[in-house]
Amino acid sequence: MAPSPANAPGGPAELPSDRPPRPIAVYLFVLALVALVPAFAFSAVLLQRNNEAQERVVETLITGSARSIMQAVDREVFANISTLKVLATTPTLQNGNLELFYNHVKTALEGTNTYVYALDSEFNVLLSTRREFGAPPTRAGDTESAQRALDTGDVVVSGLVTGAVSGHSVFNVLFPSLSGTLAPLVLGISRDAVTLETALLSDKLPDGWNVAMIDRSGIIIAASQGAGENGEHFRLAEVAALATTPGLINLRVEGETYRAAVRQSFLTNWTLVAWAPSSVISKPLMDAVWSLAVGGLLLAAIVVLVVYWVTLQIGRSVRGLEAEARRLGAGQPVTARDYPISEIATVSAAIEEASKRRQQAETEVRFLMRELAHRSKNQMTVISAMAKQTARGADSVPEFVQSFERRIFGLARSTDLLLAHGAVGVDFLELVSGQLDPFKPDDRARVTVEGPSIRLNMQAAQILGMAIHELSTNAVKYGALKGNEGSLVVRWELDGTTLRLSWRETVTPFTPPSDRRGFGTTVLESMVGRSLGANVERVVHPDGLEWRFDVPITAIDPSKGPEENGEKAG
């Protein structure tokens, strides 16, 4: 079985049936995805890295703030310790003049929210700046810290206690005075716990963060708003499990995770905790993710709209090209349109150019068809005239056949030139040479052909070709090319609007021609003169014949159509 054209070697490749064509919108969406997905992925990576950097910044900020707050509290406590040490050495206390000591201290600490008291060895309150001097003695509320101060002989800072005199939540700084008339005494400074809130809030923490100061028992001494109340137990962790950390740690309570910074004081043995829920720390990331998601959706919507708009523009343009291509295929004229896409506009312009060329080609084909019909009719007329004139001058059938065949060949050479050059016209020099070549003698110097470059239309080339052929035939039979001595000069020139052609034969001896009119004379005088509107003149010189032709330029113009050039020949 012979291979089908689609499967034959070199034939067009068959399109795979499992890959149907897809709309351009699909490719535009794929292009958008290829551009957007990596961009979003890269943005997500940047967000993650930015969040990690922010977490490191927050960690540095919180740990620094916790250290700063603890240092501020330690400075206040240390200032209280210094005050106690100075008071313990005052002469009034050493001499047992408690009233004068009371008056000096009360005056010095007025408005400082700091109160001084003195305990005897039984831990009874001898004096307190919280009350008037001489009030009935009461037993101290924090005897444990007072006993530890006497036992160690050093400063003791209590946790959160309830003051026996004030009845408030306070913390005490105690120092034993082991010299003087009233020794041993315990001097103490009592401060309301709420006074530490100023120190706790000295460094403003980010929103969502809390801070609390906890004593050795896990009781909150002071805390920021919302972090707990004084006297409450710290709920996030046992104080024994907390230690100073270089960074943030995780605390998990009731299923929720907190991030916390812990600082412990070697001076007071208190613990400072600053914490916030993990959701607060991750909130910037979540906000950024939501912003990215919302922005991504908006961008995707914009991309979809843009892709839809571009698809409409391309679709309309392609459908317009399709309509133009159909018009081109149907042979109808196509005019380029202004498409919004330059490449499609270029294709449309190319289709318009192709349409113009097709219209031009079809016009030329119709022209050639009319020319062919016209030329065929003319050639039939010429061949008929050639046959009749040849028959009149022939004495036998072989002579008729030979003469008629030569004339047919000469006409064929002119036709070949016409077919080779077409609408641009036939070069006159090439026409003359083509007709003369079969008749030229061996001595080429005997024939001279010269003149400017001129192109002839189809009719002029055919008629002048026959004329040159007849003149060449006569020159071989009767004139300059018959013997070995004659010469021939063919010369032409342009004189204004006239082509002047001269055919001059020189031969010795020369016998003037008879008055008998053959086919050649008919071609030269009748067809050339009448068809081309030329002036034809034969001059008999003593040494040979000369033919002169004055042909109007308009008769040989290649731009003239067959109707214009063929009216007279028809």
Side-chain angles (χ1 to χ4, degrees):
M1 180 182 295
S4 64
N7 297 325
E14 184 178 355
L15 293 174
S17 59
D18 58 342
R19 295 182 60 186
R22 296 179 177 85
I24 193 171
V26 173
Y27 297 98
L28 290 177
F29 277 118
V30 170
L31 179 62
L33 288 176
V34 169
L36 291 178
V37 170
F40 281 123
F42 183 68
S43 298
V45 172
L46 289 182
L47 282 177
Q48 178 61 31
R49 293 185 177 179
N50 180 65
N51 181 68
E52 294 174 355
Q54 285 185 345
E55 286 188 357
R56 288 192 293 270
V57 170
V58 169
E59 182 175 25
T60 302
L61 173 64
I62 297 303
T63 55
S65 296
R67 181 171 55 252
S68 176
I69 293 171
M70 182 57 79
Q71 289 173 349
V73 173
D74 283 348
R75 281 194 300 270
E76 291 190 18
V77 173
F78 188 78
N80 295 152
I81 293 173
S82 299
T83 300
L84 286 176
K85 289 182 178 181
V86 171
L87 292 177
T89 61
T90 58
T92 53
L93 182 63
Q94 290 291 321
N95 295 329
N97 191 348
L98 294 180
E99 184 176 2
L100 185 58
F101 174 79
Y102 171 86
N103 292 332
H104 288 167
V105 172
K106 186 173 178 64
T107 301
L109 298 179
E110 189 73 31
T112 63
N113 292 322
T114 300
Y115 304 96
V116 174
Y117 62 90
L119 304 178
D120 61 15
S121 59
E122 299 297 328
F123 306 131
N124 295 312
V125 179
L126 298 178
L127 64 88
S128 173
T129 58
R130 287 184 180 271
R131 64 182 184 179
E132 295 298 327
F133 182 78
T138 58
R139 188 170 179 79
D142 185 16
T143 58
E144 178 184 353
S145 299
Q147 184 64 56
R148 193 163 68 251
L150 288 177
D151 293 341
T152 61
D154 199 0
V155 176
V156 172
V157 180
S158 73
L160 185 70
V161 296
T162 302
V165 176
S166 67
H168 302 157
S169 294
V170 299
F171 67 91
N172 300 311
V173 181
L174 300 98
F175 180 75
S177 177
L178 302 178
S179 62
T181 59
L182 300 178
L185 292 177
V186 176
L187 284 179
I189 287 181
S190 173
R191 293 184 57 182
D192 293 340
V194 295
T195 60
L196 288 181
E197 291 182 0
T198 302
L200 293 181
L201 301 178
S202 60
D203 279 21
K204 181 173 177 57
L205 298 177
D207 292 340
W209 283 84
N210 302 292
V211 62
M213 185 70 73
I214 310 166
D215 65 13
R216 291 184 297 272
S217 300
I219 303 301
I220 297 175
I221 301 174
S224 60
Q225 186 175 3
E229 298 295 333
N230 296 339
E232 292 182 355
H233 192 276
F234 186 64
R235 65 184 181 85
L236 295 184
E238 293 297 329
V239 69
L242 298 176
T244 299
T245 58
L248 299 181
I249 62 172
N250 290 324
L251 299 177
R252 188 168 182 82
V253 179
E254 299 176 356
E256 187 172 1
T257 302
Y258 297 85
R259 298 282 285 166
V262 179
R263 302 293 297 183
Q264 286 185 324
S265 171
F266 294 104
L267 179 63
T268 62
N269 287 323
W270 294 345
T271 301
L272 179 76
V273 180
W275 75 94
S278 296
S279 58
V280 172
I281 300 177
S282 61
K283 186 177 183 299
L285 174 63
M286 297 306 299
D287 291 344
V289 170
W290 277 109
S291 299
L292 179 63
V294 173
L297 290 176
L298 291 177
L299 180 60
I302 293 173
V303 168
V304 169
L305 292 177
V306 171
V307 168
Y308 177 71
W309 180 79
V310 172
T311 301
L312 287 180
Q313 297 299 317
I314 295 178
R316 291 170 182 168
S317 300
V318 170
R319 286 192 293 273
L321 282 183
E322 178 186 9
E324 293 177 4
R326 293 183 183 277
R327 290 176 61 84
L328 177 63
Q332 299 175 356
V334 178
T335 302
R337 296 166 54 186
D338 292 331
Y339 290 103
I341 302 172
S342 60
E343 289 79 4
I344 294 181
T346 301
V347 175
S348 178
I351 292 178
E352 179 187 29
E353 182 64 23
S355 173
K356 291 180 179 179
R357 291 181 180 179
R358 174 167 181 164
Q359 295 292 319
Q360 183 179 2
E362 290 179 351
T363 301
E364 291 179 358
V365 168
R366 288 191 294 269
F367 170 81
L368 292 175
M369 293 299 293
R370 291 195 301 268
E371 178 67 13
L372 178 61
H374 183 76
R375 290 299 103 209
S376 298
K377 182 173 66 175
N378 283 353
Q379 284 208 344
M380 292 301 103
T381 302
V382 171
I383 291 172
S384 175
M386 286 170 56
K388 291 176 182 178
Q389 291 295 335
T390 303
R392 291 194 190 101
D395 295 329
S396 64
V397 173
E399 183 181 352
F400 167 78
V401 171
Q402 184 179 12
S403 297
F404 186 66
E405 190 177 57
R406 284 199 306 270
R407 286 166 175 153
I408 289 294
F409 287 158
L411 182 62
R413 281 191 292 274
S414 298
T415 303
D416 288 341
L417 290 175
L418 290 173
L419 294 176
H421 296 282
V424 299
V426 178
D427 185 72
F428 189 39
L429 175 61
E430 189 176 353
L431 177 68
V432 173
S433 299
Q435 295 294 341
L436 268 175
D437 281 345
F439 304 99
K440 282 183 179 180
D442 295 337
D443 184 4
R444 298 287 176 167
R446 294 171 57 193
V447 178
T448 300
V449 178
E450 59 183 15
S453 177
I454 299 175
R455 289 198 172 271
L456 312 177
N457 60 37
M458 296 180 181
Q459 179 183 355
Q462 200 171 50
I463 293 174
L464 290 177
M466 286 189 296
I468 299 299
H469 175 79
E470 293 304 324
L471 289 172
S472 301
T473 300
N474 289 339
V476 169
K477 292 171 64 175
Y478 312 112
L481 302 182
K482 179 179 181 182
N484 295 325
E485 301 298 332
S487 63
L488 170 64
V489 176
V490 181
R491 184 179 287 110
W492 65 90
E493 63 180 2
L494 287 174
D495 183 11
T497 59
T498 303
L499 169 65
R500 301 191 185 281
L501 171 63
S502 170
W503 177 282
R504 177 70 165 91
E505 297 182 28
T506 302
V507 59
T508 303
F510 171 64
T511 302
S514 65
D515 294 334
R516 179 175 176 269
R517 299 177 61 84
F519 176 73
T521 304
T522 301
V523 169
L524 296 175
E525 294 182 346
S526 178
M527 291 190 67
V528 175
R530 185 173 67 249
S531 298
L532 299 182
N535 181 27
V536 181
E537 179 184 4
R538 185 179 72 168
V539 179
V540 180
H541 295 280
D543 57 352
L545 283 176
E546 179 182 7
W547 285 89
R548 298 172 182 171
F549 304 89
D550 293 338
V551 184
I553 292 296
T554 55
I556 64 173
D557 186 358
S559 64
K560 301 295 183 181
E563 291 84 356
E564 297 173 89
N565 293 322
E567 288 177 344
K568 294 181 180 180

